[in-house]
């Protein structure tokens, strides 16, 4: 079935780096934009980035631009979020979400998320 | 990229209707018909309820409906049920080609 599975989360010290992955299955991965969205503990959803199916178009939220980099490997049906210069406020559950036919606001499939904790 | 404004909480009795507002600006909600609504139960991933202001994906109950007037979008839940108790988020495409979420609304079924 159509599925997204995030991995790579963990505990990292402030200033450190982490690389998250999002593995897709059940659909033609290269046909779809993908969003990264995060949710800090007890807080709301925050959009971080979206990447086109080809990987050539990428947009970032101001809060992560210059620190986070999104990429994808369509041959491996995988999406990546490289997170550098991590801060305590980056502590959150990180989701990848498939963008449906209606545009980047149309997130029709979500993973279960992977948890990132930034702490010394 | 300021978050869209939603009421922190809304409550209603079973069978009643409630409406959740989502206020943005002319650069996001007011400028595009690209508003979505998501439902999130505790410990679960968000679920798409409404897309393009009014469109319900297949499988979503017709008790959920969306609308928009100016810079404010709204989600109405009719015939409130216990299973509707959850957090609800709106989102909108913006003029900067990014996406912005609402602050979230906790719905309580009394």
């Amino acid at each position: 079935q159509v599925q997204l599975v995030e991995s790579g989360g963990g505990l990292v010290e402030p200033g450190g780096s982490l690389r998250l992955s999002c593995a897709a299955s059940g659909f033609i991965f290269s046909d779809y934009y993908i969003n990264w969205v995060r949710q800090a503990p007890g807080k709301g959803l925050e959009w971080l980035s979206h990447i086109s199916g080809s990987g050539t178009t990428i947009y970032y939220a101001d809060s992560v631009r210059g620190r986070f980099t999104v990429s994808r490997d369509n041959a491996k049906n995988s999406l990546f979020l490289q997170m550098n210069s991590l801060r305590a406020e980056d502590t959150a559950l990180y989701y990848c979400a498939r963008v449906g036919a209606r545009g980047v606001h149309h997130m029709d499939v979500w993973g279960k998320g992977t948890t990132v904790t930034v702490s010394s | 990229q300021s978050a869209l404004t939603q009421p922190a909480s809304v409550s209603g009795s079973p069978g009643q209707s409630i409406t959740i507002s989502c206020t943005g600006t002319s650069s996001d909600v007011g400028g595009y018909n690209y508003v979505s609504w998501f439902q999130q139960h505790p410990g679960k991933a968000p679920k798409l309820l409404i897309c393009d202001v009014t469109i319900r994906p297949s499988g979503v109950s017709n008790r959920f409906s969306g609308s928009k007037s100016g810079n404010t979008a709204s989600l109405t839940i009719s015939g409130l049920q216990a299973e509707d108790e959850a957090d609800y988020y709106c989102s909108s495409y913006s003029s900067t080609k990014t996406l912005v979420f609402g602050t979230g609304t906790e719905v309580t079924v009394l």
Side-chain angles (χ1 to χ4, degrees):
Chain A
Q1 74 275 24
V2 175
Q3 193 173 4
L4 295 170
V5 179
E6 303 90 340
S7 62
L11 174 64
V12 60
E13 293 186 347
S17 297
L18 207 58
R19 189 192 196 208
L20 305 185
S21 299
C22 170
S25 59
F27 63 99
I28 301 174
F29 183 63
S30 59
D31 283 353
Y32 290 86
Y33 276 67
I34 304 288
N35 279 322
W36 281 103
V37 175
R38 71 183 178 186
Q39 187 168 34
K43 302 296 184 182
L45 301 173
E46 180 187 12
W47 175 82
L48 299 179
S49 178
H50 66 246
I51 182 170
S52 63
S54 64
T56 55
T57 300
I58 306 173
Y59 287 91
Y60 296 97
D62 291 343
S63 59
V64 303
R65 186 179 297 113
R67 299 188 301 125
F68 289 11
T69 301
V70 176
S71 61
R72 63 192 297 161
D73 183 341
N74 287 340
K76 296 183 178 180
N77 290 342
S78 294
L79 178 77
F80 307 102
L81 180 64
Q82 177 66 43
M83 305 185 296
N84 298 329
S85 303
L86 283 163
R87 308 165 180 166
E89 53 264 36
D90 294 318
T91 294
L93 181 61
Y94 285 73
Y95 294 103
C96 56
R98 190 181 78 168
V99 173
R102 298 185 177 277
V104 293
H105 62 297
H106 180 198
M107 289 174 274
D108 61 353
V109 178
W110 293 67
K112 294 183 177 181
T114 186
T115 299
V116 173
T117 302
V118 184
S119 175
S120 54
Chain B
Q1 293 177 342
S2 299
L4 309 175
T5 300
Q6 298 181 230
S9 62
V10 173
S11 62
S13 300
Q16 286 187 329
S17 293
I18 61 170
T19 297
I20 303 168
S21 61
C22 168
T23 301
T25 69
S26 59
S27 295
D28 38 62
V29 175
Y32 306 91
N33 286 326
Y34 297 150
V35 175
S36 292
W37 288 92
F38 300 89
Q39 177 192 59
Q40 186 180 35
H41 286 108
K44 300 293 187 181
K47 171 189 174 183
L48 179 66
L49 290 180
I50 297 284
C51 189
D52 290 358
V53 179
T54 62
I55 298 185
R56 245 183 348 263
S58 173
V60 173
S61 172
N62 59 9
R63 297 186 299 103
F64 296 94
S65 61
S67 62
K68 192 185 85 167
S69 178
N71 295 338
T72 298
S74 299
L75 174 72
T76 297
I77 309 175
S78 305
L80 199 61
Q81 299 179 1
E83 68 208 47
D84 299 332
E85 194 160 284
D87 293 329
Y88 292 81
Y89 295 91
C90 60
S91 73
S92 174
Y93 181 74
S94 78
S95 60
T96 53
K97 299 184 179 180
T98 58
L99 199 68
V100 58
F101 280 100
T103 50
T105 298
E106 180 181 24
V107 168
T108 301
V109 181
L110 301 172

